[in-house]
Amino acid sequence: MQFDPRDLVLDLASLRNGSNSGSFEIDMPGIAWGIEDAQPASPSGTLDLDVNYSEKSVIVRGRLSACFATSCARCLGRAVFEVTEDVFAAFSRDGGNTADGSMARLPRDGRSLRLLDAVKEAVILSVPGKPLCREDCRGLCPVCGENLNEGRCGHEGAAGAGCVR
Ligand SMILES: [Zn+2]
Ligand SMILES: [Zn+2]
């Protein structure tokens, strides 16, 4: 199985019928992720792929082992998370509807298949609902905005509990 780890493009001609699997080192910062609230936080990642190929369809399953960074929900600092969701993409030769209707059409004269969208989707689904820079992040002072992980500003107790007037 030939796979371009820079553009995340799979060479269809290199696939044999049935299962094709491989593990690829990918250049994380070199990829045009285009994800609004997450950026790569590791220089390289490993993409494990299992591609089921037949005359009629190509089913891609995979897993990206890599870290991304987003903003901490409390202090807006850097919160690193791992990709936890699986990569999945299904393509059919005739674009026919399948039971779940989620198959995309294979490019008619296509020799290659771009997997960036599928990998990107797994990353987006892995962004935590409430990302934290660390478990016990103290957040920002509600009075002056000081990052309480970095120091004390003297407002402790002033507005931390109860209403800010
Ligand atoms: Zn934080
Ligand atoms: Zn303060």
Side-chain angles (χ1 to χ4, degrees), residues 71-79 131-134 136-140 147 149:
S71 298
C72 173
R74 289 186 195 151
C75 73
L76 306 180
R78 187 175 142 97
L132 294 177
C133 60
R134 58 187 214 212
D136 61 346
C137 171
R138 292 177 182 168
L140 303 177
N147 186 335
N149 297 313

Side-chain angles (χ1 to χ4, degrees), residues 26 28 33 45-48 62-66 68 83-87 119 122-123:
I26 63 171
M28 298 289 291
W33 292 103
T46 306
L47 182 63
D48 291 310
R63 177 163 277 267
L64 174 64
S65 304
F68 280 77
V83 177
T84 51
E85 297 296 319
D86 289 340
V87 174
V119 176
V123 176

